[in-house]
Amino acid sequence: MTMLMQASRQWASRPADERYASLLDMQSYMTRRRNRSRAAVESTRALTVLPDQSDPLHRGRYLGIERGPLAGQLLAPTHQAFGQICSLAATPSPASYFRESRVPSPIIADALNYNLRFTREVEDVGVLATLGDEDNSLGVPTGSELRAATGPGYGRIWDADIRSSDRA
């Protein structure tokens, strides 16, 4: 009974887009997310961290990509992806400092951009983005997310490709 209560609490505390009424609903969501996702290998010189100008607390950040298949996208980094960008930028401060400090987003963006461009060798980065469902007036999907910034040879297994029936 304790396990059921823990599972119920974990399910109820998840964000709405991570709660599924059935395994088929979860499979359907994971397939749609995979279909909206794009992977590309880019130079760190093509990545730009941008502050969210609409955020009155100046806490939000986006990642812009200057060229390639994801050019023109504004990608909101997930918690993990932001940490990966901070690692790539090799800043003296860890991602947790940037997340928890009261330093305004434009200053954080400047520090990360400087390090991405000038303090490290040119390096290719594997970028995984999930494009949003909606289209803004400029023809760019809104709600797009940076899900990962990894090495260029990183292998990926999609959540949608993992099913318990495949193990039988």
Side-chain angles (χ1 to χ4, degrees), residues 48-53 60-65 73-74 105-106 109 113:
T48 304
V49 179
L50 303 163
D52 179 359
Q53 299 298 342
R61 289 168 286 281
Y62 291 106
L63 184 80
I65 300 178
Q73 296 292 326
L74 279 182
S105 186
N113 287 329

Side-chain angles (χ1 to χ4, degrees), residues 70-153:
L70 294 171
Q73 296 292 326
L74 279 182
L75 306 171
T78 63
H79 182 85
Q80 179 178 350
F82 181 69
Q84 292 169 329
I85 290 294
C86 289
S87 282
L88 290 171
T91 60
S93 302
S96 61
Y97 169 76
F98 289 135
R99 285 188 198 106
E100 297 164 9
S101 72
R102 295 188 182 269
V103 175
S105 186
I107 294 172
I108 293 171
D110 285 345
L112 294 174
N113 287 329
Y114 181 85
N115 279 18
L116 284 170
R117 287 192 173 85
F118 301 113
T119 63
R120 63 180 288 119
E121 298 295 320
V122 174
E123 181 181 326
D124 287 338
V125 176
V127 176
L128 175 66
T130 299
L131 304 180
D133 289 332
E134 303 166 14
D135 211 12
N136 69 8
S137 60
L138 303 174
V140 177
T142 59
S144 297
E145 235 180 12
L146 174 68
R147 298 189 54 79
T150 59

Side-chain angles (χ1 to χ4, degrees), residues 17-35:
D17 67 339
E18 293 181 9
R19 277 185 256 150
Y20 311 101
S22 71
L23 290 176
L24 290 175
D25 289 347
M26 182 174 72
Q27 178 70 31
S28 175
Y29 174 80
M30 298 298 174
T31 300
R32 285 193 315 275
R33 186 171 70 183
R34 179 188 61 201
N35 292 341

